[in-house]
Structure formats: structure tokens, C-alpha cells
Amino acid sequence: MNFEPNQEQRLLCESARKFFAREFPPARVREVEAHGLQAFLPVYRQMGELGYLGIGIAEEHGGAGGDWLDLALYAEEAGRALVPTLQLSSLVLGAQALLRAGKPDRARIAALVQGTAILAPAWLEAAEAGRALAQATRAAASGDALRIDGAKRFVQAYDVAAELLVPVCGPGGETRFVLVPREAAGIAAGAQRLSSLDVVHDLSFTAVGVARERMLALTWNAWLEVIDGAKIIAAAWGVGAARAALDMALVYARDRRQFGRPIGSFQAVQHRLADAAIALEQASAMVRYAAWLRSGGGECAREAAMAKLVAGGAVRRVTRAAALTHGGYGFMEEFDIQLYVRRAKQYDQLIEGPALQRELIAGEASDDLLRVH
Amino acid sequence: MDFAFSDRHRQFRGEVREFARTEVTPEIFADMERRGSEHHPGFHARLAARGWVGMQWPREYGGQGLDNLHVSIFNEELEYRFAPLSRCRTSVVFVGQSVIAFGSEEQKRHFLPRIARGELTGAWALTEPDAGSDAAALRLRAEHSGGEWILNGEKIFTSGAQDADYVMVAARTDPKAPSKYAGISLFLVPRASPGLTVRPIRTTGGWSVNQEIFEDVRVPQWLLLGEQNKGWQNITRYTLNFERAGIARTGLLLRLGDELARIVEGAASPGARQMRHELAQLRAEIMAARWLGYRVAWLYDQGQVPTAESSMIKVLTAELLERIADLGTDVLGWAGLARGEQAPMAGRMEFFLRSIWFHLVGGGTPDIQRNIIAQWGLGLPREP
Ligand SMILES: Cc1cc2nc3c(=O)[nH]c(=O)nc-3n(C[C@H](O)[C@H](O)[C@H](O)COP(=O)(O)OP(=O)(O)OC[C@H]3O[C@@H](n4cnc5c(N)ncnc54)[C@H](O)[C@@H]3O)c2cc1C
């Protein structure tokens, strides 16, 4: 066993950290809040040029290579800088789903990896992710084409996407995935602004015509495995954000003085931050373990759920502690800590939320926590 | 012991409920949203017209001579409808109650009836950039010169100063005093005073608090509030306790507890079902907090100013509000993160979660409340 990142991982993390610190400082986060994802695209394309978007995709498929642990460690750096989770949508879910479906279109994958095109998975049919098959969106054959009717909710990255990845209920009741051009006639989108100021869309599909070959050979179970993998990376993103929030709180607790001494010398402040550190280290260990497990190709559904649940809770607890450390300043727009606080719960919901993770874990056999890989 | 409400209290509850039903309209919220404010002057004027602003004051000062239980009932019924009551707190509780407790007869006759009629609003400026939890470290200076006071310095995070007529300001009048707790005095400063600049500071809740810069602001002698250099004693004995008891929002908790029950019961997802026990736990705690709130009101009606209990109800209600908004947004999934009118409950769960820092930190942080409860209530020694 070895908890040290290897040389390559260290270099990757250092370069990513420097890159994000330079290209995506908090001022850019605020710009994206004000102007939407469009304002993020130049940085996103650079992430493509630098090969970051291709991590976790084999070179033979046009990716940058690297395994799931590399991707998770990199994601912690992205989360630290509050980089929008476009990569999670377009690559970690989107491209991975295409690869999983087999016979991927090289040009399509290449564009996703370069960041010149974005694929937005549109799979939620309720306000909460569930594991039931798609029901509310149906595909029917109509001549040479498919006709799609239905609705999807809380779609991320819709506004910058070239295509949507949409699970639909086929004629025989089976789930199929269809690549739908964003500009296809018959799609109506309603924007919703979240606490983070991210904009997500509720989509309705009315007689949307799509060529038959846009249907993928991807099963629902294969998709769920893609989801399991993406959850680990989402969890890592959250862990990175939590680590940054804790770092900010530590700096503040040392600098800020009240009653003639640093507020970090009060036990109430110390204990809260110590609890935050426990939550963070616990989450970080779990997430890295789950990523490692997946890198080795092992069965990781249970660990992915545990990682996501623990990490989501940690982001919330750590950012809360960090905000409280800032006293009134934690509530003021001009202080950066609020940027983290407003995203905490979104990290917890990303891909799949905490309630579902508890259901998944509860559904596992309960006598085998001793099991190791 | 008798936990029954009197007929007068019941009748009063009915009146307020009827008023709330008809007067708390969607236009009020839309208007506040548009102006980025937590205050609605028109609504405040309607409350004043009913005699409910300062109802707990003696009639000779424009009040109704009602007890604090009436105030609790009033808050509950209106908060249950999310009515804007911020000036009933800043003007009435922070400023008005302080004037009652330690103001001069002249000040009482001048300020209280005007506040009660809704003509005059006040704000309370204690915090400074370097004096937050350690408020007694304040540096804003007031010097006596030619029969008036000259104020120089800075205040921060003052709620409502942007449209207040008067700001109640804590200032240092004797910098040579042996301890920081000595040599502080309070002043009622007209916001329109020359040399006083008020700047907004945006909160993530969408509304603003304020920073005030005082540059040779002249204040006449009669606006010194309470005994000179005894300000800190008055602040800790009265004002902060009024403030902490006054900002506890049990009515809001009752409403959110009910809303949440409806959401949980109506939701089909396994997630929502999981939350039933947590919801039940919260509903029990909310009801218990309500009764602690009544007890605090009752203590005030007995002529006491309970320090530990005021801190208890403040930190308890703030943390309950946080837990309920947390659970509420969880149950709603992604919809719980959506802002604005279109979102479930008009985005209120999201809003309270996003602005929970106001409830937790305003009036003193949870750590400070716990320090007070431990030291003043339980008699434990101070942290070294
Ligand atoms: C929305 C809002 C509205 C407000 N309205 C008003 C208003 O109308 N008028 C007004 O005067 N002020 C107002 N305030 C200011 C508020 O009272 C202060 O923010 C609060 O008292 C904390 O001070 P601070 O922000 O300087 O934090 P700090 O005092 O710097 O606290 C930072 C951290 O250190 C901790 N800490 C500090 N000292 C101790 C200690 N001795 N023991 C343990 N922990 C400690 C705190 O708990 C906190 O976690 C408002 C604040 C907010 C957020």
C-alpha cells in the first residue's frame, strides 16, 4: 500500500493547480456567474489543448491516457478552483458513455476531448436522480427516423452543448440512448438558475426527428456503470472544493484577530475546523480508494456510492465551518468563501444525490464491510 | 403554571391572522425583490396604522401597553406568511426598546410615538471592521466640543441604515478609560447628518447591509442615549438581549416545518421517504423552541432581561432554521437548489439556506451565544 501520488500524478496536479490558479481565479468564477458558461469556454478549450479533458480516455481513442485515479486527483485540483463541471457532463459521463457503447465515432470523441464540442447528457426525469429506466421520454420509429417525445429535467451544459445524450424508452419498453442535436426542431428549453448561479434547463421534446443511426448500443446497466465512475470524479471535485475552503478558513483564522488574539486560538473555532478536517480527510481517503478501485477495473458500485455520499457531506460540513470562521464576512458577496458555500450542495447532488446513495448502500449486503479488494 | 392563552391573546391572534391573510400579498415580495431590500415601507405603514408597531410600549409613548406574548403572537402569525418585519426589529426592538430601557424622558417622548406611527425608522450600528465578536473593542470616536459631540470612525454590517432616519451608534467617549468596556456611549444619529456616508455591502442573500463612514459628524447633546461612558453596560444588559430574543423567528420555523411536511408527504421518491424521521424530529424541536420562545417573552413580561435565555432562543432558532432549510433542499433534490418564483415554495428553502448566515451570525455568532450561555447562564469561567 502506498498513499503517495506517483511522480506523474504529482506533476499533473501541480500543473493543473498552476493552470487553474492562473486561468481560473475567483474573478473568473464570478464572471461565469454573471455571464454564463459561454464565458468559461475559452478556458475549457485550453483544458482541451493541455490534455486535461482527455484524462481517463485511452490514447487509441484520442484521449490523453491516464487512469481513473489520475482523473480523480486532477478533479480535486479543478474543484479547488471551482472550475465549472462541464468536463463531468461532456467527458466523464458523455464521452465515457460513447466509448462504452462501442464503435465510437473518432471525430466526435476528438472534438469532445479537445473541448471544441460539448455533449450534454439529459437523463433526469425528476428533480432527483433515480435508477429507474427512462419512462417520460419515448422514441418511436417514424419511417427512417426516430421520433422523440417527452421531457428531461435539470440538464447541465445545455446552453453550450452541440448534442444531447438522451435515454429514451423504446417501442419495446427497453431503454435506448440517442444523440440528439441540440438544434433539432421540437426541443423547448426552460432555464432555471441555481443557488450557485449556474443555469440548468428543463427540456421538452415534441416530435423531435432524429436519424436512426443516432441511436447508441448502450444499455441502461452499462450507463449505470458510467454513472458510478462519474460519481467518483464528482466526489473528487467536491473534495477539492472543500480542501480549498478549509485552506481559506485556516488563513483567515490565523490572520483575523478578536479579543487581542487570532480567532484561530479559540477552541470553538479550532474544534469546528478540526471536525471539518476530519470530514475532509475521511472523504479524500474514500474517494481516492474508490478511484483506484475503478482504475484497476474492479467492481466499484458500492465504493462509488460511499465515496459520493461521504464527499458530498464533507463539502457541506467543511464549507459551513469555513463560512462561520469568516463571521459576517462569510455572507458578503465580495469575499470568495461564499462562492464555495453556494456550491456545496450542488456537489452533493451532482450525478446522483445523497438520498439515492443511501438507498444504494442500504440495498447492499450488510455483512461484508470486512471485504477487501 | 398555566399554559393557556387568555381570551385577549386569542382574539388578538385572530385579528393578526386575518390581517396577514389579506395584506401579505405577492406584490409585496415582488416589490422587495425588485428593490433588493428586506423592508417594505408600505407594509410597515399598514402595520403602524393598526397600532402594532411598538404595541408593547406604554400608551403615553404611542404604544398599546400590550405584553410581550402579544408580540410573540404577532410575529408568529406574520412570519407564518413570510411578511417583512425587519423594521419591527431594527426600529422597535433594537432602537425603541433601548430608548425605553435607558433613554431620557425627552427622548422617549420624541422617538417612541414617531416609531410607533411608522414615521421614523432606526438602525443599530455596533459592529466595526475590527470589532465584531469583540464589539467592545470599537474605535469610533465621539469627542465633546462646544456642547455637541463630534463623531469620527467607521461601522460595518449595519442592517437597514440605508433607509433609516436614525442610526443608534456605539462610540468611544473616553479612550483613556481603564478597560475597553468603560468609556463607551450610545448616540442617536440622524442618518442625514453631514459627514455621514452610508454605503451598501451586498450579501449573498440578495439584499444589502451597510458600511458607514463618520467624518466629523456633529451630534447634539440631547441625542446622547443613556449615561455617558456607561454604554457597554446598557448594551449588554439591555440592547443585545432585546436583539437576540427579538430576532428569533419561531413563526418562520412553524411555517417551514409545515411546508416540509407537505413536501415529504407528497413526494414519491425513496429519498423523501428517508427524510420522514428527520422531519418528525425537526417538527418536535420546532414546537419545543416555540415554547421556549414563549417562556423568554414571559420572562421579559416579568420585568426580567434574561441574558442566557435570549442567547438560547437566538442560536436555537437560527440552527433549526438551518437544519430545516437543509432538509428541505435535500428533499427537493435539484429543485431544492433552484432560485426564484418558479422553484418549489417560490425558492424559499433555497433562499433561507443561502442566507442562513444572517440568522446565524447577525446578533452575534453561535460561538458567542454559547460563550454567553456557558459563562452567564451556567457560571463557567471564561476561556483563558
Ligand atoms: C446579515 C448581517 C446583518 C448584521 N446586522 C448588524 C447590525 O444591524 N448592526 C450591527 O452592529 N452588526 C450587525 N451585524 C454584524 C454581526 O453582529 C457580526 O458580524 C458578528 O457579531 C460577528 O462579527 P465578525 O463578523 O467581525 O466576526 P468575527 O468576530 O471576526 O468572528 C469570526 C469567527 O471567530 C469566532 N470568534 C470570535 N471571537 C470568539 C470567541 N471569543 N470565542 C469563540 N469564537 C470566537 C466567531 O464565532 C466566528 O466564527 C450583522 C451581520 C450580518 C452577517
Side-chain angles (χ1 to χ4, degrees), chain B residues 123-129 131-140 154-158 167-171 184 186 212 232 235 239-240 243-244:
Chain B
W124 161 220
L126 174 64
T127 308
E128 297 182 4
S133 296
D134 185 12
L138 63 89
R139 289 212 301 256
L140 187 136
E154 189 181 337
K155 292 288 173 187
I156 198 166
F157 298 155
T158 319
V167 185
M168 185 167 80
V169 178
I184 291 172
L186 289 167
E212 294 97 52
W232 188 252
I235 290 169
T239 309
L240 289 179
E243 177 175 355
R244 287 163 185 161

Side-chain angles (χ1 to χ4, degrees), chain B residues 209 301 381:
Chain B
V209 290
D301 281 333

